């Protein structure tokens, strides 16, 4: 059998549905299998396991409202049965001292970190609303009123069960969502006809893991590109270090005559050394290129191969590739 994960590539605002292909048939069934948003499970490892990794970047929400809580509100959020804030991260707050009590003093505090400003500190029964001032903001762009309080927050959130009511915590109370604030993934594949009696339990070994990480706006722009062309809806395909075109020319990024040690091609569960029997190296500058012989190309067209390159420092570059037929 073969199985692949498919990332959504569009959000249909008319039907409020996430779509997996941009053709007239926008269901998973409409996929041809060669789209960029499909990542197939590769060759099993020594533990008889295989994985796919897909990165999806959600658009940032805007107009966020930051709330600081302490005391009874912390006790409320610490227990799932009484919590009123769903899914928020709580960051421990540390009070800072703006000795000059003006915008210049706030800017000095923000020189190396984000800071949060409010008219008063959080108090039990009275959550405080904060304004975020991003790291590096100049004094002229900061609104400061005499007597304001200012805080920094911890780098990582505190788990709800570990909240302490004697401390203060900041969370995002609400924000305006943007197009691209959702992601979706599905599976597509084909079951082998060599096995009869397939059942839902045959796929029970799949484990899904989601890592949700906040990144800065500049980091997001670096990934998406200035014009957003680096992403499709929010999906970014894993870049392949090794590719093979229809002519049998293989390109290996990060490989050169200076660092290459050995290579092999795994085809139909057999390993073949990357050498004269399979073809010949065309260039040995990064990226190195290798031309498969006509005999090899005729055998691997439309088929899956796994290429493993070992560098002189023992680094391994490994890609599973379906060689295009034309």
């Amino acid at each position: 059998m073969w199985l692949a994960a498919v990332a959504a590539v569009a959000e249909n605002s008319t039907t409020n549905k996430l779509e997996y292909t941009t053709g007239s048939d926008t269901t998973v069934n409409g996929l041809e299998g060669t789209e960029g948003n499909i990542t197939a499970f590769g060759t099993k490892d020594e533990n008889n396991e295989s994985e796919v990794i897909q990165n999806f970047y959600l658009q940032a929400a805007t107009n966020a409202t930051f709330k600081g809580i302490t005391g009874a509100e912390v006790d409320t959020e610490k227990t799932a049965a009484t919590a009123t804030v769903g899914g928020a991260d709580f960051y421990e707050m540390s009070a800072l001292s703006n000795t000059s009590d003006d915008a210049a003093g706030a800017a000095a505090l923000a020189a190396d970190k984000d800071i949060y400003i409010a008219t008063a500190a959080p108090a039990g029964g009275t959550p405080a609303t904060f304004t975020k001032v991003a790291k590096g903001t100049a004094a002229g762009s900061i609104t400061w009123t005499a007597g304001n309080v200012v805080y920094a927050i911890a780098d990582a959130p505190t788990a709800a069960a570990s909240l302490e009511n004697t401390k203060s915590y900041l969370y995002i109370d609400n924000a305006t969502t943007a197009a691209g604030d959702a992601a979706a993934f599905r599976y597509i594949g084909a079951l082998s006809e060599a096995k009869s009696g397939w059942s839902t339990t045959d796929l029970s070994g799949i484990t899904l893991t989601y890592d949700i990480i906040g990144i800065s706006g500049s980091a997001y722009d670096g990934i998406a590109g200035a014009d957003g062309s680096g992403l499709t809806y929010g999906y970014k395909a894993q870049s392949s270090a090794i590719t093979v075109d229809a002519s049998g020319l293989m390109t290996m990024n990060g490989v050169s005559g200076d660092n290459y040690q050995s290579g092999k091609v795994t085809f139909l569960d057999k390993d073949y050394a990357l050498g004269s029997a399979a073809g010949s190296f065309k260039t040995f500058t990064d990226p190195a290129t290798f031309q498969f012989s006509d005999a090899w190309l005729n055998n691997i067209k439309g088929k899956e191969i796994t290429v493993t390159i070992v560098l002189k420092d023992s680094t391994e570059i490994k890609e599973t590739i379906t060689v295009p037929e034309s």
Side-chain angles (χ1 to χ4, degrees):
M1 63 174 292
W2 70 272
L3 185 68
V6 186
V9 293
E11 181 178 6
N12 190 318
S13 58
T14 302
T15 59
N16 197 31
K17 290 197 311 183
L18 291 166
E19 299 177 348
Y20 296 88
T21 180
T22 56
S24 57
D25 182 353
T26 57
T27 67
V28 170
N29 289 338
L31 294 166
E32 296 180 1
T34 56
E35 290 83 357
N37 60 320
I38 293 179
T39 306
F41 284 86
T43 304
K44 293 179 290 187
D45 61 19
E46 62 274 10
N47 297 316
N48 201 34
E49 297 178 348
S50 178
E51 69 176 15
V52 295
I53 299 173
Q54 291 184 317
N55 293 324
F56 201 101
Y57 295 87
L58 302 177
Q59 288 284 358
T62 57
N63 303 317
T65 299
F66 299 94
K67 288 290 184 67
I69 58 173
T70 192
E73 284 73 26
V74 172
D75 286 332
T76 297
E77 300 306 329
K78 184 174 182 176
T79 306
T82 59
T84 61
V85 180
D89 285 331
F90 296 89
Y91 292 83
E92 185 177 341
M93 304 175 68
S94 301
L96 303 176
S97 178
N98 182 358
T99 55
S100 61
D101 196 19
D102 57 17
L109 294 173
D112 59 355
K113 58 184 169 295
D114 296 339
I115 61 172
Y116 298 83
I117 298 172
T119 57
T126 311
T129 299
F130 283 81
T131 298
K132 178 181 178 179
V133 176
K135 172 184 173 180
T137 301
S141 299
I142 298 176
T143 299
W144 180 273
T145 301
N148 278 172
V149 295
V150 59
Y151 288 78
I153 64 171
D155 292 334
T158 300
S162 300
L163 297 175
E164 300 177 33
N165 64 10
T166 56
K167 297 180 178 179
S168 296
Y169 299 92
L170 189 86
Y171 70 95
I172 296 178
D173 185 43
N174 58 59
T176 304
T177 58
D181 65 346
F185 304 89
R186 286 186 177 177
Y187 290 96
I188 186 172
L191 301 178
S192 171
E193 295 179 357
K195 172 181 169 64
S196 60
W198 285 99
S199 68
T200 55
T201 58
D202 288 313
L203 303 180
S204 62
I206 295 175
T207 299
L208 303 180
T209 302
Y210 298 93
D211 293 321
I212 302 175
I213 302 170
I215 60 176
S216 68
S218 59
Y220 188 95
D221 291 343
I223 292 165
D227 59 356
S229 61
L231 301 175
T232 301
Y233 180 57
Y235 171 73
K236 183 176 179 63
Q238 292 288 105
S239 57
S240 295
I242 303 173
T243 59
V244 181
D245 65 20
S247 73
L249 183 66
M250 180 165 63
T251 302
M252 296 162 283
N253 290 295
V255 179
S256 70
D258 294 330
N259 63 12
Y260 177 81
Q261 177 172 297
S262 64
K264 68 177 181 180
V265 179
T266 304
F267 178 53
L268 299 179
D269 296 325
K270 292 184 178 181
D271 293 338
Y272 301 89
L274 195 63
S276 58
S280 60
F281 281 95
K282 305 300 292 182
T283 61
F284 240 140
T285 55
D286 185 7
T289 57
F290 181 90
Q291 178 64 57
F292 283 104
S293 66
D294 290 343
W296 257 82
L297 182 58
N298 290 335
N299 283 322
I300 63 177
K301 273 190 174 183
K303 305 291 197 315
E304 184 178 270
I305 62 173
T306 297
V307 180
T308 305
I309 303 296
V310 179
L311 304 182
K312 289 179 180 177
D313 63 0
S314 298
T315 298
E316 185 178 278
I317 301 174
K318 186 175 183 179
E319 293 277 359
T320 298
I321 305 157
T322 297
V323 180
E325 294 197 43
S326 60

